[in-house]
Amino acid sequence: MASFSVCVYCGSRPGELAAYADAAHHVGTFVGQQGWQLVYGGGRAGLMGIVADAALAAGATVVGVIPESLMGRELGHRGLSELHVVETMHQRKMLMAERSDAFLALPGGIGTFEELFEIWSWRQLGYHDKPLGLLNVASYYDALLAFLNSSREQGFMSAAQIDLLQVSDDPQVLLARIAEMAPRATKPNDYRRI
Ligand code: AMP
């Protein structure tokens, strides 16, 4: 069994810049080189497919979790170590969270934002204590980070809440940091209480 399991949230589209695909490839390759496990949304579309294929090529165990209704739209990946086809989006996100020791968001759209914010809010509510990372590839998330800071200035978020999110533009640095933090996360999964 892999020593460390990382959940990657990312776009079901590739995005405009080659830097996004490069970063997804880098993340997947690094996960495989470390002998880690990748958990992700189970599709072959966009950055999701790139990260999964790179991880498989580098020898990672790759676990995909996809709702039946999205098998066509997101091109369910048949070459994974494990593909779990579930009924609902909530089952997908719960299983992804349970199977992971840490979470990393790459560039993506509404689905990626929703997944990142959900796992972040679960963390600050105490449902888990696993580390979270945001990979700010080519400044993609600068505007979001500025908005979060403005939310803090306006009194809607605390600095401690913002600090739960590890941010870097370097995939290797960020993955190493959240992997290093993960063993300290000892709280049992408590997602079923949500
Ligand atoms: P996107 O970032 O919009 O390309 O989506 C990335 C992944 O997030 C896809 O696998 C989506 O199915 C998934 N996703 C998870 N939760 C949601 C949600 N509530 N709405 C849309 N997409 C979601």
Side-chain angles (χ1 to χ4, degrees):
M1 211 174 94
S3 54
F4 174 66
S5 179
V6 60
C7 179
V8 170
Y9 303 130
C10 62
S12 56
R13 303 172 192 218
E16 290 292 324
L17 303 181
Y20 305 137
D22 289 348
H25 193 272
H26 198 137
V27 165
T29 303
F30 188 68
V31 168
Q33 285 170 346
Q34 299 303 304
W36 293 341
Q37 174 171 276
L38 173 74
V39 176
Y40 85 113
R44 274 191 292 120
L47 298 187
M48 296 171 69
I50 294 171
V51 75
D53 285 337
L56 287 168
T61 304
V62 180
V63 178
V65 188
I66 191 166
E68 173 74 53
S69 59
L70 292 182
M71 279 292 281
R73 174 137 58 110
E74 295 185 0
L75 314 173
H77 198 311
R78 301 284 184 186
L80 305 177
S81 318
E82 293 175 36
L83 179 65
H84 298 270
V85 181
V86 295
E87 272 177 35
T88 67
M89 191 64 91
H90 285 110
Q91 288 171 346
R92 176 200 232 180
K93 290 186 290 187
M94 181 112 59
L95 186 55
M96 287 167 71
E98 285 175 348
R99 294 292 303 268
S100 306
D101 301 311
F103 307 93
L104 179 68
L106 272 57
I110 188 166
T112 304
F113 306 151
E114 196 263 354
E115 290 168 320
L116 171 67
F117 276 91
E118 182 175 72
I119 206 69
W120 191 4
S121 66
W122 288 358
R123 166 79 196 252
Q124 63 111 16
L125 292 170
Y127 290 115
H128 71 91
D129 61 356
K130 300 172 185 178
L132 330 165
L134 181 70
L135 189 62
N136 190 16
V137 181
S139 297
Y140 177 70
Y141 282 118
D142 280 3
L144 175 66
L145 293 166
F147 176 71
L148 292 170
N149 202 34
S150 135
S151 168
R152 182 188 54 77
E153 285 169 358
Q154 294 304 315
F156 287 106
M157 288 182 75
S158 68
Q161 286 174 319
I162 292 182
D163 289 347
L164 292 173
L165 188 64
Q166 307 296 315
V167 183
S168 173
D169 61 1
D170 185 320
Q172 234 161 286
V173 167
L174 188 55
L175 278 163
R177 193 189 307 161
I178 60 175
E180 210 263 325
M181 295 170 89
R184 295 200 292 270
T186 52
K187 204 177 155 119
N189 285 317
D190 200 11
Y191 310 114
R192 294 195 186 276
R193 208 159 55 81
I194 295 169

